[in-house]
Amino acid sequence: MSVPYRQDMPPTGGFEAIRYKRYLPYKGPSGAVIFGAFFLVSAYGLYRVGMGNREKRELLREKQWARIHLVPILMAEADRNLVRREYVALEREKELMKNVKGWQPGGKVYHSDKYIPPSIQI
Amino acid sequence: MAELKDPLPPVQELGATSGPLKSAAYFIGDRCKEFNEDFMLCKNESRAPEHCLQEGRKVTRCAQEVLTNLRAACAAEFETHWQCLEQNNHYYYKCRREERPLNTCAFTKIGYKKEIPGTTEGQTPIHEVKMPYYRPQQK
């Protein structure tokens, strides 16, 4: 009784691949991706800050021009008020000093023709 | 002391508070430009209060006219806008929703327009920007 000769062969389809690689769990995006995302987000934020600053300057200009347009009205009104007050102050002075000889009502304290606003409330 | 008579010719004072004045500032600046500039040039000559009384009366009358016209044509819009300014620390950017109807009404009915001098060519004026960065936090 003899066993027929048979060459020992690999199984059909070949051997299974040997698992020699390390199989580690996925730990998130790579450093480059995180850095890139951070860079993009920061760039967008800075862009918005810049545009916001531009807008802020425009808002400031808007406010300044609104005030510039109102200056003449307020100034005119204040002028009329001051003229009335100066007139009344002069009349009051005339009345008070009428018994003083040689008194010049409405005399100036400054040796100048330039207009100097009163330093006290009149 | 005897009754004193007013040394100045009569002119009706504006009598408007800061809210309406700020709301109407650009319309006043638009319509009364000549009177305002004339007055300021006069003030540049001399700062004495009695030097520019005539010009000052013109300025006040012109502003009075603007306010009267505004109240006649766009009373509701004007009122809403200046009330909004009063409530919001006089910030224009917090009252754009109230400002736009006022601007369109003033322009279509009485031809007053809001123009900020010195805006860069081709740039949207700040009061017409659709999506501004600065806006009221609470809507």
Side-chain angles (χ1 to χ4, degrees):
Chain A
M1 180 176 149
S2 66
V3 179
Y5 173 79
R6 181 167 165 270
Q7 176 67 44
D8 204 8
M9 294 291 281
T12 44
F15 288 109
E16 249 182 72
I18 299 163
R19 298 169 43 143
Y20 60 91
K21 268 189 192 161
R22 297 205 300 164
Y23 284 85
L24 294 176
Y26 178 67
K27 283 195 177 170
S30 73
V33 170
I34 291 174
F35 182 79
F38 169 77
F39 184 80
L40 283 179
V41 167
S42 300
Y44 178 64
L46 272 174
Y47 167 76
R48 282 189 65 91
V49 168
M51 295 303 275
N53 286 343
R54 278 171 83 175
E55 196 176 295
K56 212 178 192 173
R57 280 200 292 279
E58 284 298 302
L59 286 171
L60 181 66
R61 247 166 39 74
E62 187 188 23
K63 182 176 83 178
Q64 285 168 342
W65 272 103
R67 289 181 179 182
I68 288 171
H69 289 322
L70 292 178
V71 160
I73 305 163
L74 300 174
M75 227 181 206
E77 196 172 322
D79 275 359
R80 283 192 289 272
N81 183 27
L82 193 55
V83 165
R84 285 198 183 98
R85 282 176 180 278
E86 279 176 350
Y87 169 73
V88 171
L90 186 67
E91 293 296 311
R92 196 190 298 129
E93 192 183 330
K94 277 183 194 162
E95 179 73 15
L96 285 172
M97 305 303 280
K98 63 186 173 192
N99 297 328
V100 181
K101 250 189 195 161
W103 179 267
Q104 292 274 338
K108 280 184 184 170
V109 240
Y110 304 102
H111 183 66
S112 163
D113 285 336
K114 207 181 121 191
Y115 174 74
I116 290 139
S119 52
I120 50 162
Q121 185 75 38
I122 56 169
Chain B
M1 205 150 133
E3 260 318 275
L4 292 176
K5 65 171 178 32
D6 195 341
L8 300 176
V11 59
Q12 170 137 35
E13 295 292 354
L14 275 180
T17 50
S18 52
L21 279 184
K22 186 143 191 200
S23 174
Y26 277 93
F27 303 135
I28 292 172
D30 172 39
R31 185 49 59 101
C32 308
K33 192 163 186 278
E34 285 171 29
F35 296 116
N36 284 355
E37 284 178 356
D38 196 34
F39 178 77
M40 292 318 279
L41 286 172
C42 172
K43 288 303 279 185
N44 197 27
E45 281 171 13
S46 163
R47 301 291 289 185
E50 57 274 1
H51 188 250
C52 301
L53 289 172
Q54 201 188 347
E55 287 82 353
R57 279 195 292 278
K58 282 181 191 162
V59 163
T60 304
R61 281 201 201 99
C62 180
Q64 189 84 55
E65 193 197 315
V66 170
L67 285 181
T68 317
N69 288 349
L70 212 54
R71 287 205 186 100
C74 312
E77 288 90 343
F78 184 47
E79 170 94 14
T80 339
H81 184 227
W82 75 253
Q83 289 284 5
C84 173
L85 286 177
E86 288 277 286
Q87 302 292 331
N88 287 292
N89 208 12
H90 284 215
Y91 289 143
Y92 277 126
Y93 76 89
K94 292 204 177 184
C95 296
R96 298 289 183 217
R97 209 174 35 171
E98 286 81 3
E99 187 185 329
R100 291 205 172 101
L102 174 67
N103 284 352
T104 42
C105 171
F107 185 64
T108 48
K109 284 194 185 165
I110 36 186
Y112 296 166
K113 59 177 181 294
K114 173 167 177 174
E115 239 173 25
I116 308 174
T119 308
T120 321
E121 199 72 31
Q123 191 188 337
T124 323
I126 188 66
H127 56 283
E128 283 164 12
V129 176
K130 287 272 166 358
M131 287 282 285
Y133 287 84
Y134 283 86
R135 61 188 108 175
Q137 297 299 308
Q138 295 171 323
K139 286 186 183 168

